Amino acid sequence: MMYKVIFCVLLPGMLLFSMAVKGSIRDAIVRLPVSDTLLLLGDSAFEKGLVLKGTNTNAVCRDRFIFPFGENNGRAQWELAEWGSRFQLAGIKRRIHRKRIIYATRGKKIAFEKPAGNCRVAMNVTASDEYPVPRKAGEDWAHLLVEQTFTKKPYLKDLEALIFKFSGRLTKAVLRMKKKDFDPGLHTAQFQLFITVQDLNPASPNHGDFLWFGIPFYDYRYKDIRMYAAQDLGKSDATGKFIYSMGSADFMKGSFHSGAWITIYKDILPMMKDAVKLAKQRGYLKGSAIEDLGVSSMNLGWEVPGTLDVGFEFKGLDLLGVLRP
């Protein structure tokens, strides 16, 4: 899945809360008992491992795993997708370097560490290994995504706020193709998060339909990423669903292009409701009432349709649902 013109051709901590969320909501969250909040993400420290889904969306694997912090009897809640890649992490043995646990093969690397008990994840894509020649329109592109289906899937109508927490930084971005071959409508590298807003009502005639709600952290082409809304297209296995991706100014200050750590603490529920409204105006989610819609899953990571070698690391990822009284 890609967004923007690609489709046309193509801290944590309550101290920072007042910077991103209205005071009334902030104060409400401080007063709320645990029973009035939902931690949507499971296993935020990746202690139960990850399922390796493979490289082909038409032949998804479920029986291969990596366990960065040792094998755990609990069921893995995270999945790792490598769609469109020529290389796989399956069968790769982990190595440890300066307390960082690394899984790497040609084309990609993912690493985990726990400084002070907090999990930090680094994700790198080496697209110069993936593309012998510049990628052409209609061809697949390399992905490296961590994904999770939520165990608890709250309806939007039951939420007072949906708080997104994240700290990250860009560690590498190098163009590995000739500038004359670079087409900004076809080639880029994007690090982003998508949440599915889905019809969760079994009695709904459109049960299961969904839209993609995007949080774009980095795009090689733009320091200031604009809001984008359109259909998911660009390759043969695209979902055809509506994509609403916020503008970067909607949820953060500055740009990850700087290479500095940036922390985000943001109530994304209002913009998610805007996404639903716009989707319906454009003819999507037909048969789904707004009361039927909730949040069901997420994916986070790289999509790299251009010949770029890139890296990003993050920590403090969380998604908190605040229930209505």
Side-chain angles (χ1 to χ4, degrees), residues 253 259 294:
K253 293 182 179 180

Side-chain angles (χ1 to χ4, degrees), residues 186-205:
L186 187 62
H187 304 125
T188 190
Q190 297 168 319
F191 194 88
Q192 55 206 352
L193 181 144
F194 280 96
I195 299 170
T196 53
V197 180
Q198 189 169 27
D199 187 331
L200 301 175
N201 183 1
S204 168

Side-chain angles (χ1 to χ4, degrees), residues 2 6 12-13 22 53 70 80 97 105 116 124 139 141 144 168 210 229 236 238 243 249 273 323:
M2 289 282 295
I6 296 293
K22 291 181 179 179
K53 298 176 73 174
L80 182 65
H97 179 69
T105 186
N124 290 60
E139 294 180 342
W141 57 83
L144 186 63
F210 67 94
S236 60
I243 291 178
K273 290 180 176 179
L323 300 177

